[in-house]
Amino acid sequence: MGKPLKVGIIGCGAIIAQYLTNFRKLQDLELVAVADLDPARAQAVAEQYDGVRAVSVDELLAADDVELVLNLTIPAAHAEVALKAIAAGKSVYGEKPLAATAAEARTVLEAAREAGVVVGCAPDTVLGTGIQTARKAIDDGLIGAPISASATMVTPGHERWHPNPDFYYQPGGGPLLDMGPYYVTALVTLLGPVVSVTGAASHTRSERTIGSGPRQGEKVPVAIDSHVTGVLTHASGALSTLFMSFDAVKSKSPNIEIHGEHGSLVVPDPNHFDGDVQLFSLGADAWETLPVSAGYVDSGRGFGIADLAATPEGAEPRAGGTLAFHVLEVMESVLESAHTGSSVRISSTVERPAGVELTVLTGDVRELQAQEAAS
């Protein structure tokens, strides 16, 4: 792949705005083309971004100047679009999850391996200063050997704000597959791969009422479990407990909490790139906020692609397909366990991604030097 890495985007929905903001700041990435099933949406993006052309999906896949396809389609189309990009000789980076099912995701990774191209996948939130500062605290032994973790995501349902929430309540949706990638990816980044899971799940309503937009008041059927709990056993022996709900109203629990022999960490929201990391050490009187010590500074969606572009040839990107596949298998297995009542072994594994040193990819390098001096 060249430098800057030339990127084409397929899918011009709402999420593209965040990527465009950061593409303008990342010098190692160059957006050259966009495509969408609705040509007007692609054209609207191209008009906002100098030097970008709006094309059809087939034209984008055939374009000689597109080295990597950023796949921002709906989850049900992730595998189909990724396979087309790979068949065209393009590397691909997708929004989470890697595919609608682990079986589909496996075909994507196999096709990429045969074609000699690279697969990356969101979330790249784990590369920001929040999760990476917590990761460094663990690696530096500030809490001793990790024992357990808890991950909590509670919302009364996306239909309260999303004008078209249907897919959240169909197979491939639900709180675990929608928000779980952020949490499980963070847990694997912090504690390493998972070897087995046990799950339980339920749903309280058979339909949801859209609360905003032109379809306000319309009923949406619920075909998935909207409340999921699970226990993940990591290869290290640490145990993580998941609590993912579209049914409950609110929680005061930290998004992620890690407990070790000598201390505990409060980890910021894994759906964000930054946030405070708090440490309570054995024998201490109070929680302390740790200085930012690792991760991409002022990062956002798309930094995972920049990290991929900087990954040596033959090495797995930090936000790579192997990690995304492992996370997807873990989530699928939690749901399988919930339905069968038995624990499930995880067949895949992944190397714990290397930590990110405190790094500025945009702006003035003096910002980083000032932060290092302050810490």
Side-chain angles (χ1 to χ4, degrees):
M1 293 183 287
K3 195 169 185 178
L5 174 63
K6 292 180 170 56
V7 179
I9 299 178
I10 298 178
C12 297
I15 192 66
I16 196 173
Q18 296 183 48
Y19 282 94
L20 294 179
T21 297
N22 291 307
F23 273 31
R24 289 187 172 94
K25 300 187 297 184
L26 292 165
Q27 296 179 355
D28 288 342
L29 303 180
E30 180 182 353
L31 180 61
V32 297
V34 293
D36 193 277
L37 291 178
D38 180 353
R41 293 209 300 185
Q43 186 60 43
V45 171
E47 290 173 356
Q48 300 171 27
Y49 205 108
D50 291 341
V52 174
R53 63 188 187 275
V55 296
S56 70
V57 171
D58 288 343
E59 288 171 333
L60 188 147
L61 293 174
D64 291 336
D65 62 343
V66 173
E67 299 174 281
L68 178 141
V69 171
L70 172 55
N71 182 3
L72 300 184
T73 59
I74 62 173
H78 283 182
E80 178 185 359
V81 171
L83 289 170
K84 287 181 177 179
I86 292 166
K90 318 293 188 188
S91 292
V92 63
Y93 183 97
E95 255 302 325
K96 53 81 183 171
L98 181 58
T101 67
E104 289 183 351
R106 186 178 287 108
T107 65
V108 171
L109 295 185
E110 290 173 350
R113 194 175 300 116
E114 292 177 3
V117 298
V118 181
V119 175
C121 188
D124 50 3
T125 47
V126 293
L127 306 181
T129 54
I131 301 299
Q132 288 296 319
T133 293
R135 157 75 182 260
K136 188 174 188 303
I138 294 171
D139 290 351
D140 288 349
L142 297 189
I143 64 169
I147 298 167
S148 67
S150 60
T152 304
M153 192 291 300
V154 171
T155 175
H158 291 350
E159 75 281 359
R160 296 171 62 85
W161 56 268
H162 199 294
N164 295 292
D166 309 65
F167 69 94
Y168 289 115
Y169 297 102
Q170 295 302 309
L176 183 58
L177 293 178
D178 175 45
M179 296 300 295
Y182 299 106
Y183 290 78
V184 179
T185 303
L187 290 171
V188 173
T189 297
L190 294 167
L191 300 175
V194 176
V195 295
S196 67
V197 302
T198 302
S202 65
H203 66 273
T204 58
R205 284 165 276 174
S206 60
E207 60 183 19
R208 301 287 180 121
T209 303
I210 298 177
S212 63
R215 299 173 60 197
Q216 185 174 2
E218 183 179 329
K219 303 292 186 182
V220 174
V222 176
I224 47 84
D225 289 313
S226 48
H227 183 99
V228 182
T229 62
V231 176
L232 319 181
T233 301
H234 295 263
S236 65
L239 302 176
S240 293
T241 302
L242 291 176
F243 173 31
M244 307 270 120
S245 183
F246 282 172
D247 291 342
V249 175
K250 197 70 174 174
S251 174
K252 292 181 69 174
S253 298
N255 295 102
I256 296 179
E257 200 168 44
I258 310 287
H259 303 286
E261 293 178 307
H262 306 309
S264 296
L265 285 175
V266 170
V267 182
D269 188 343
N271 193 17
H272 296 165
F273 288 82
D274 53 13
D276 289 339
V277 177
Q278 293 184 300
L279 169 69
F280 197 104
S281 300
L282 186 65
D285 295 324
W287 292 89
E288 63 171 309
T289 299
L290 298 179
V292 172
S293 60
Y296 290 122
V297 176
D298 294 330
S299 52
R301 297 186 193 277
F303 274 63
I305 305 174
D307 185 85
L308 179 152
T311 301
E313 185 176 353
E316 179 75 6
R318 289 186 178 93
T322 303
L323 173 59
F325 176 81
H326 182 68
V327 168
L328 180 55
E329 186 191 358
V330 168
M331 295 188 299
E332 268 196 2
S333 297
V334 168
L335 295 175
E336 177 186 344
S337 173
H339 296 152
T340 64
S342 301
S343 64
V344 176
R345 297 289 298 178
I346 304 301
S347 63
S348 66
T349 190
V350 64
E351 291 289 333
R352 186 169 173 243
V356 181
E357 294 184 2
L358 192 63
T359 305
V360 171
L361 289 183
T362 62
D364 194 326
V365 72
R366 287 174 296 181
E367 297 174 8
L368 175 59
Q369 295 170 338
Q371 290 182 29
E372 289 177 331
S375 64

